Amino acid sequence: MNIAIIAHDSKKELMVQFCIAYCGVLSRHNLLATGATGKLVSEATGLEIARFLSGSQGGAQQIASRIGCDEIDLLLFFRNPLDRKPNEPDENALLRLCDVHNIPVATNIATAEVLIHGLERGDLDWREIVKNS
């Protein structure tokens, strides 16, 4: 699976800790991330991560384009809902694309843990189920 990782500045450390905790699961998948988040997670975990631009410079839009081309299977996007961002419309468009393309998305650690456990059990291989129907 191709898993995209994004985190607001105030949530980057939480994303790093999450990725450390689930490094074994994540290591079996292709990881993509916005610039700074990918760098921090890679340095902390040793995971190989394809990095795009930083979120504010268009990295989230690069990931959104991959979602539109069905090249992303899961999005982990740790957001700070209390901090308004100038690129918030871009983030809303990213989440809308996930809905349009049926991409599982977690915007907080609780949902991310549910998705990662489902991924570990094989419950998120919905694309294979659809292909075989």
Side-chain angles (χ1 to χ4, degrees):
M1 274 196 159
N2 294 323
I3 301 172
I5 301 171
I6 305 172
H8 283 164
D9 288 346
S10 63
K11 300 291 182 173
K12 286 190 189 328
E13 183 57 30
L14 181 62
M15 180 63 81
V16 166
Q17 294 304 315
F18 176 84
C19 291
I20 289 170
Y22 294 105
C23 188
V25 176
L26 294 171
S27 68
R28 296 189 296 268
H29 300 278
N30 298 318
L31 304 177
L32 309 98
T34 50
T37 301
K39 181 176 189 265
L40 290 170
V41 169
S42 181
E43 288 174 351
T45 62
L47 292 168
E48 187 175 319
I49 301 174
R51 291 181 13 212
F52 295 106
L53 297 171
S54 72
S56 63
Q57 294 178 340
Q61 291 163 322
Q62 289 176 301
I63 289 174
S65 72
R66 295 285 179 108
I67 289 170
C69 295
D70 289 326
E71 296 174 5
I72 301 290
D73 302 302
L74 175 71
L75 174 63
L76 302 175
F77 182 9
F78 288 4
R79 304 170 61 207
N80 182 350
L82 303 177
D83 186 19
R84 293 191 56 92
K85 297 277 189 189
N87 57 341
E88 198 166 326
D90 296 334
E91 293 172 359
N92 289 336
L94 173 66
L95 295 174
R96 180 182 168 280
L97 276 171
C98 288
D99 288 340
V100 168
H101 293 273
N102 290 314
I103 303 302
V105 59
T107 58
N108 59 61
I109 193 164
T111 307
E113 287 189 333
V114 168
L115 289 178
I116 207 83
H117 288 294
L119 182 64
E120 190 172 28
R121 288 189 311 265
D123 296 344
L124 295 182
D125 291 336
W126 63 270
R127 289 183 188 220
E128 288 302 315
I129 293 167
V130 170
K131 283 181 194 175
N132 295 326
S133 311

